Amino acid sequence: MREERQGCAGILLAAVGAVTAVLAWAPKARVSVHGGFEGMHRDLSVLYVDLPLIAAGGALVPLAAWLLALRASRRPWLAAAFAVGALGLGVWGLLSWWTPYERPEFMG
């Protein structure tokens, strides 16, 4: 695989990773955006703090895995498999670790 194609594949992996991470994150963030019951728990900081971090992480994790595996093995198909696996582990870690803050329903 020529270097131009390898670069395009890396950019494609980064774009797919960012979109995948945001789509996996969105259902959990929905409660903070909509606010739950009567909009009492609305927290829009998930849009301007968490969303860019999730998208950047989703783009950088598979790209870094792609570059490391490509440098180590020189086989693009193996690097792509490694990048997809790293993206899967990253999304799994995101879904199991990140939970938006929810205030208690009744304060007293």
Side-chain angles (χ1 to χ4, degrees):
M1 186 179 262
R2 292 187 309 197
E3 289 184 27
E4 295 87 15
R5 289 187 183 181
Q6 288 177 357
C8 289
I11 291 172
L12 180 66
L13 277 170
V16 167
V19 169
T20 302
V22 169
L23 289 178
W25 165 85
K28 284 186 135 185
R30 186 176 64 95
V31 171
S32 296
V33 174
H34 288 281
F37 179 69
E38 293 183 353
M40 294 179 61
H41 301 289
R42 181 170 284 182
D43 179 21
L44 296 179
S45 69
V46 296
L47 295 177
Y48 58 84
V49 173
D50 295 342
L51 176 62
L53 292 174
I54 297 297
L60 293 177
V61 166
L63 184 61
W66 162 262
L67 291 173
L68 288 173
L70 192 61
R71 181 171 289 253
S73 70
R74 303 262 187 228
R75 293 191 174 109
W77 60 270
L78 184 61
F82 190 68
V84 169
L87 176 63
L89 285 175
V91 168
W92 172 77
L94 169 70
L95 293 178
S96 63
W97 174 75
W98 185 80
T99 304
Y101 173 74
E102 292 183 25
R103 293 186 309 200
E105 188 69 37
F106 299 104
M107 297 295 286

